[in-house]
Amino acid sequence: MALGKDYAAQDCALARALEVLGERWTLLIVRDVFYGVRRYSDFLAHLDIPRAVLAARLQALVEAGVLDKVRYSDTPPRDEYVITEMGRELWPALHTLSAWGGRHLSANGSRRVFAHAACGTLVGPNGICPSCAVEVPVTDLDVLPGVYSPRRDDPVSRAMRLPHRMLTPLTCEH
Ligand SMILES: [Zn+2]
């Protein structure tokens, strides 16, 4: 899913990354995967994204090696989307970008915050736990509602009203 011929011709690592991640919705899908969203119907409910766009973005992320598509039911055929090792490496960039948006572009601040599960302390925008002075791996983070918490009423938002360990599957009741 190239952004354009001229852009694709850029011999630049950032351009390569944006070829994979730079389209509208893509990073929000990746963010939801970190929250534990795995199923098409859950992405759809949480993101209010057109079906065809969601299907195309998921397909592109699988082709790029960011997500794996894993069959969890044969009748009817249903797949889950699980992040790969390569995809996991996106967490620090995603977290920094989100903190930047909260600081400069969102009058209400961040909707969600992240705590070091071992000690309960909120991590800083650099991903470091101020209590333990370590960079916390995403698997050791809990995501919880921030100060600004609009009551969206979709299955994913409901499941995320309580603290939830990052990357563990969210149970969403439809
Ligand atoms: Zn800590």
Side-chain angles (χ1 to χ4, degrees), residues 6-18:
D6 293 344
Y7 194 72
Q10 289 290 311
D11 184 16
C12 162
L14 182 57
R16 294 278 90 80
L18 289 175

Side-chain angles (χ1 to χ4, degrees), residues 107-124:
N108 296 311
S110 298
R111 256 184 87 182
R112 303 193 193 283
V113 293
F114 303 93
H116 187 195
C119 69
T121 308
L122 295 185
V123 297

Side-chain angles (χ1 to χ4, degrees), residues 27-48:
L27 276 179
L28 296 181
I29 292 170
V30 174
R31 174 207 62 188
D32 275 14
V33 172
F34 276 108
Y35 288 165
V37 178
R38 293 179 168 211
R39 298 186 177 180
Y40 180 87
S41 56
D42 293 339
F43 291 111
L44 198 62
H46 193 221
L47 294 172
D48 303 320

Side-chain angles (χ1 to χ4, degrees), residues 16 18 27 29 43-44 57 60 62 99 112 132 140-141 152 157 165 174:
R16 294 278 90 80
L18 289 175
L27 276 179
I29 292 170
F43 291 111
L44 198 62
R57 296 296 183 270
V62 170
R112 303 193 193 283
C132 308
D140 291 348
L141 287 175
R152 261 193 71 99
S157 297
R165 184 65 56 89
H174 285 260

